């Protein structure tokens, strides 16, 4: 089955710890994205990548970091510099950045205690 | 913010009725997309309408786009309980490489 997976589904961390969220796709898509969703709100873009070894900041990149070493994988690290990290994180991919719809993973709910 | 705004924020209808939700945005766009999200899940793409299109249909979905008013509407006909979800519009500005998602409409279809 082709798709996009995120793990884990739920993640708990203590304040001050870095945490890495996994995102993998087997759709052969060039572009990948990370979004943050807070309760009752829309999605805000954290980072996106158009191609391997390249990524761009979105609207709320502060306190987050990413890497794109493989086409299939786009992990997101939530660092201790992120002031309010508790949120629902969604990963997505698309054939290209412009003019295509995005396929979303199931999401990871991060709770910082 | 370039984020779109959906209206209404919440909508509750009886099964079989039609549901209409609207999206307004601020900048010129290449295309506008509608997505659906069930509670606690990822988003699912419903329909994409390009800036040179005015109306598009997919099954029970009908989307319109008015670029002069910078607005779009999503109509779901003959709604079902399974249509209960949040619906988001996303715009792709013609000046950038990212989408901007609206704040969503929460639809409840009562059986």
């Amino acid at each position: 089955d082709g798709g996009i997976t995120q793990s884990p589904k739920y993640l708990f961390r203590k304040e001050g710890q870095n945490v890495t969220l996994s995102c993998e796709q087997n759709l052969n898509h060039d572009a990948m994205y990370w979004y943050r969703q807070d309760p009752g709100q829309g999605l805000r873009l954290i980072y996106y990548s158009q191609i391997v070894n390249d990524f761009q900041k979105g609207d709320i990149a502060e306190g987050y970091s990413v890497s794109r070493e493989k086409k299939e994988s786009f992990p997101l690290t939530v660092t201790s510099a992120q002031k309010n990290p508790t949120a629902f994180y969604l990963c997505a991919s698309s054939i290209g950045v412009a003019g295509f719809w995005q396929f979303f993973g199931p999401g990871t709910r991060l709770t910082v205690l | 913010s370039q984020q779109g705004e959906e209206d209404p924020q919440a909508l509750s209808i009886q099964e079989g009725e039609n549901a209409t939700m609207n999206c307004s945005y601020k900048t010129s766009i290449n295309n506008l997309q509608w997505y659906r999200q069930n509670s606690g899940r990822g988003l699912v793409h419903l329909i994409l309408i390009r800036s040179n299109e005015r109306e598009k249909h997919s099954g029970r979905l009908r989307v319109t786009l008015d670029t002069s008013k910078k607005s779009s509407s999503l109509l779901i006909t003959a709604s079902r309980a399974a249509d209960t979800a949040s619906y988001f519009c996303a715009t792709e500005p013609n000046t950038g490489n990212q989408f901007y998602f609206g704040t969503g409409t929460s639809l409840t279809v009562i059986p």
Side-chain angles (χ1 to χ4, degrees), chain B:
Chain B
S1 168
Q2 299 187 48
Q3 192 176 45
E5 294 283 337
E6 276 97 337
D7 171 59
Q9 287 188 335
L11 180 61
S12 184
I13 59 174
Q14 296 289 330
E15 199 166 31
E17 294 181 337
N18 294 344
T20 299
M21 50 205 88
N22 304 296
C23 170
S24 59
Y25 57 91
K26 297 180 180 177
T27 64
S28 296
I29 60 172
N30 287 331
N31 65 71
L32 184 145
Q33 304 180 25
W34 284 92
Y35 289 81
R36 164 197 169 122
Q37 183 182 35
N38 287 80
S39 181
R41 310 287 290 273
L43 278 69
V44 175
H45 177 261
L46 295 176
I47 201 162
L48 180 153
I49 186 165
R50 303 193 187 281
S51 60
N52 61 352
E53 297 175 312
R54 291 297 167 257
E55 189 171 312
K56 209 161 182 181
H57 297 253
S58 176
R60 293 184 296 113
L61 306 180
R62 173 178 169 253
V63 168
T64 61
L65 178 64
D66 187 335
T67 53
S68 66
K69 295 181 179 178
K70 291 187 170 58
S71 68
S72 174
S73 67
L74 170 66
L75 168 67
I76 303 174
T77 60
S79 63
R80 305 166 182 168
D83 294 329
T84 294
S86 291
Y87 292 82
F88 294 89
C89 67
T91 54
E92 181 189 305
N94 58 13
T95 56
N97 287 331
Q98 67 178 68
F99 292 162
Y100 291 92
F101 282 83
T103 49
T105 292
S106 176
L107 173 66
T108 301
V109 181
I110 303 166

Side-chain angles (χ1 to χ4, degrees), chain A residues 69-84:
Chain A
E69 297 176 1
K70 297 187 300 181
K71 189 175 187 177
E72 304 80 20
S73 178
F74 191 40
L76 173 74
T77 296
V78 184
T79 75
S80 56
Q82 168 50 234
K83 290 182 172 39
N84 186 19

Side-chain angles (χ1 to χ4, degrees), chain A residues 26-72:
Chain A
N26 61 3
L27 300 166
N28 200 32
H29 285 171
D30 283 320
M32 296 188 74
Y33 312 80
W34 274 106
Y35 293 92
R36 170 184 172 134
Q37 186 177 31
D38 292 286
Q41 298 196 25
L43 279 65
R44 292 184 291 167
L45 182 66
I46 304 172
Y47 270 97
Y48 68 99
S49 168
Q50 298 186 65
I51 200 167
V52 174
N53 292 322
D54 177 73
F55 47 83
Q56 307 294 328
K57 292 182 180 179
D59 295 327
I60 56 165
E62 186 176 350
Y64 299 97
S65 66
V66 293
S67 63
R68 186 86 187 277
E69 297 176 1
K70 297 187 300 181
K71 189 175 187 177
E72 304 80 20

Side-chain angles (χ1 to χ4, degrees), chain A residues 77-99:
Chain A
T77 296
V78 184
T79 75
S80 56
Q82 168 50 234
K83 290 182 172 39
N84 186 19
T86 294
F88 189 48
Y89 291 88
L90 287 158
C91 179
S93 70
S94 63
I95 295 172
V97 172

